[in-house]
Structure formats: C-alpha cells, structure tokens
Amino acid sequence: MKFSLSQLSPVEAEASWILIGITEDGEFDEAVQSLDEALSGSLTRMKEREDLTGKSGELTIIPDAPHLNADRLIIAGLGKSDKLKIGGFGKSIVTAIRKIASKEDQTLSVCVPVSASKAFSEESALERIADVVTVGCSTQGLYKEEQDRHEFTAVTILGAEETKQNQDAIARGCILGEAVNLTRKLVNQHPDDLYPDSFAQISADEAAAIGIRGEILDEHMLDDENMGALLAVSKGTDRPPRMVVLRYEGGGEGIPTLALVGKGVTFDSGGLSLKPSAGMITMKSDMAGAATVLGAITAIAKLKLPVNVTGYMGLVENMTGAGAYKLGSVVTARNGKTIEIHNTDAEGRLVLADVLAYAVDHKVDKIVDLATLTGACVVALGEDVVGAFSNNQPWCESVLNSSREVGEDIWQMPMYDYFAEQLKSEFADCKNIGSRWGGAITAAKFLEQFVDETPWVHLDIAGPSYAESKSAHQDAGGTGVMVRALVRLAMEN
Ligand code: BES
Ligand code: ZN
Ligand code: ZN
C-alpha cells in the first residue's frame, strides 16, 4: 500500500474516507474541531446527545459529508486519554479499518490524534497507524473466491510533518504490519498446503528476498545431528521433518547473537495419544511459534537493525502412521538425555528440546523460544495472554518490557524446581509429561533441561496466537502475536 504524509486539513483532504480518533474525555483537537465546523456543529451535538462518546471500540460513521472534500467520515473511540496506550490505540484504529476496507479502489486519509501523539509520541503513533492499516486491510480468506477486505489504493496521513523521521516511522509500521501478515498467513494455511518441507521452502524464499543466509536440514542431516527427540515425533508421517536456520548478521562480529526458536508442528493430531476432533480442528496452527520467528526475522532484516539474530524453526508433522512413536518408547535427545514417552501429544517439547540444544551448541548468547506448547497455559492465562517462563530474570524482564512497550499482553509464570520432580522416569533420564496440574510449568521445566546456562525465555503462545472466532479488531485465525514484541526486543538488546 502507498502511504504518504500531508499537511492538508481533514476538511480539505480528498479521500473515500477520513478516519479520526477521539477520546472519551477532553476537548476535540484542532483537526476534529475543523471537521465539526465544516459539518455545522454536528459532532458537538452528537457528543452532547451522547451519540458520540469516544469510548474505546466505538465507531461512528458519517456516510455522506457534503461539506468535506472526502466522501465519508469514520470516527474511532480511543477511550480515556490517561489510559491511552499503544496497544489499545492500535486496536481502535484497526477496528475502524476493518469496518471500512470492504470495497475495492478506496482511498483513506487518517488524522493523527493529538491525544495519541501526547500519550506515546507522534512517531510511535505514525508507526502503529501504518502497521494496523496494513494488517486491517489484509484478509484471512486464503481459500475464498471473494475477499471481504481490500487494500486502499492510497493512504494519506494528515497532521504530521513530512520529515524523514516521520516517513521512516511509517516505513517501519509497514514492515511490521507485513511481518504480522506473513505470520498470520502461514498459521492459516491448511496442513496439506503447509507441511515441514513447504514451510522450509517458504522460509528459503523469504530469506532470499531479504538477502539473508540460512540452511535447511533434512531428515538425514537431523539424524547426523543426533536430533532423536525431534525425529521421533516425525515417525508417524510420510512427510519428513525439517529444521530451518536463518542468520541475520546486522551486528557484525563481537555483537551477541539472539536466538529465536520456534515450534513448527505443521499439524498436531496428538499422535497415538490422539486428540478428540474438537481439540484437533485448530491444530494446523501448531506451527505458530515457527511462523512468528520467520515473521520477526524478516522484519528485523528489512529494518536493518544492528543486531545478530538467528532463527531456528523445528518443523514436523505429528501423525499416527504405522511408524508412529509409541507410549513407553525411550528416545535420545541431541544432548544425550533419554526421554520416556508418556504421551505422544506432548510433542512440541520434544521438537524444541533438540532445536534448543542445537542453538546452545552453536553458542548463541540469549534465547527466546515461541511455542503453542500447552492447553494448560490457556487455562491459566486465558486466550489473550502470552505465558513467559525463564531461567534468567534480567533477560525475562527485557522480554516482558519489550512486549509491554508494543502492547502485547504477557505474564511471567513461576519456575520452582519442584515442578521438575514430576518429570522423573523409572526407565530414562526423564519423561515427557508431568501431572495434570501446572502443566504449562512442567512443560517449561522440561525445556529448561536443554538450554544449559544460556539465558532463555520460553513463551507459550497456545492461546493468543490463534483466535477461534473473529472479533471487531481481528479476524479468526492466526493473529501474529509477538512479532512486534520480538522486533522491539531485537531493537533494544
Ligand atoms: N499443541 C498442543 C497444545 C495446544 C493446545 C495448543 C491447545 C493450542 C491450543 C500440544 O502439543 C499439546 O497437545 N499439549 C498437551 C500436553 C499434555 C499431553 C501434557 C496439552 O496441552 O494437552
Ligand atoms: Zn500435542
Ligand atoms: Zn502441539
């Protein structure tokens, strides 16, 4: 989409739509006042009658505005000005975009609300506007003939100066929005479209497009690398596993390397511990961790951040074919630990065990892994909050802060050592599940065995990476959660 900045007032700007935001308290800002005057005081009267409240999520459409150069006006409620944060602001704007992007060949002019420029900064507001316009116009109807939303032919942002800084902020927003869209698209692709090899090919194409190096390890190479836990999971399918490694070296030598590790189970049937249909229907999305890593690394590279980031994506399909790994089997992970399988549906941690150990062996300095790891995390934190687990508090604080700065909801969970006792096995070094209670934590304690002393944060995104139903601010399906947070983390560390 083509974005530009303009100093025209919203009364002068020509567009299919003018989008403005108003808060619940305080006066109209200058841009809104000028619109109000051109509309002969309509907005003031609507406010007095409480038809226009500025409450968060409220949308007011004026479908015919003869005194403006634009065809129509949409007003997004931003909530109370002292509560205005970047995440909520983005949600309000994207809600409006999703409402109006249904027709083809439309143009849009957006006013930067003064309240937003005060609450964060003008640049942050511009960046987020470009980001959510990019996300809000995209459609999840991958397999539909008719699309329900379309990009605008031109987007003009009003009220911010045409400086290099502001243009850069918009460019950053577009890159972030496109990265979120890439992650969402991968999550939504059905499992016979997106499987380990096709995911690896897409990663290779993305890497080539942005000019970064990488490797794809096939099943033989994974065997040579002693990745027995990951390979066990893939035994029940004809589709061979892959591991993708992508290296972005923007920092040069001497700068620490951040590893982003993603669970990429392209379909999780549960294996012989078969899932019931109701639990299996969304399991094409069990590669969201890997898709988030790919989305984030493309954005980090396009933004040319002065950092070194390596993405590791463990790609397998968990099926029930004749060779499927069995309950009671003992598998040997890359670091030599033996694992007794008590449940083949706890496969993500087996995949990550080997990929984490591989990253550690390659001397990365810090690790963040992302995984749709446990239903228990969704029970604990709900569908919208990411669970964070760590062996290193300062590193965890960095991840929590980056997430909060970009408005992604996250909560740290405890890592008491007694949870690890549940993983003791009679026959092997450990087993792959604990008891029913605290299942998200025992999963994290399992992973901890494979990262040695490397500062590591595990993010369980089982809830927030996939929306089971649509809402005003987002489509059903992949959400792209944590792409923005990872990019921010790379900027700040
Ligand atoms: N992919 C699932 C976790 C999941 C559940 C993701 C719901 C998204 C939504 C994972 O592989 C799994 O099946 N975990 C089991 C672990 C159990 C067997 C210890 C679970 O959560 O039930
Ligand atoms: Zn599973
Ligand atoms: Zn899974």
Side-chain angles (χ1 to χ4, degrees), residues 236-259:
T237 174
D238 295 337
R239 293 201 168 120
R242 296 287 182 260
M243 180 170 72
V244 175
V245 182
L246 294 182
R247 293 200 178 78
Y248 168 68
E249 284 153 350
E253 267 172 60
I255 301 282
T257 300
L258 165 63

Side-chain angles (χ1 to χ4, degrees), residues 93-113:
I93 301 298
V94 81
T95 304
I97 297 298
R98 285 168 47 74
K99 184 87 187 166
I100 64 178
S102 55
K103 291 197 195 82
E104 284 182 75
D105 298 324
Q106 299 191 106
T107 56
L108 169 70
S109 289
V110 187
C111 288
V112 183

Side-chain angles (χ1 to χ4, degrees), residues 3-7 112 117 121-124 126-127 157-172:
F3 285 81
S4 55
L5 286 156
S6 157
Q7 285 298 329
V112 183
S117 299
S121 67
E122 188 173 64
E123 279 178 46
S124 303
L126 288 168
E127 179 184 307
I157 302 186
L158 307 175
E161 276 183 58
E162 287 166 71
T163 60
K164 170 94 170 61
Q165 273 102 324
N166 285 346
Q167 275 156 353
D168 287 350
I170 292 175
R172 280 198 304 274

Side-chain angles (χ1 to χ4, degrees), residues 429-443:
D429 296 332
C430 66
K431 57 181 183 177
N432 77 329
I433 58 167
S435 72
R436 181 160 170 229
W437 310 117
I441 304 171
T442 43

Side-chain angles (χ1 to χ4, degrees), residues 263 265 268-270 275 283 286 318 343-348 373:
K263 168 178 172 180
V265 176
D268 182 10
S269 72
K275 284 183 184 293
M283 283 301 124
D286 210 21
N318 186 22
N343 191 315
T344 60
D345 197 13
E347 84 298 339
L373 204 65

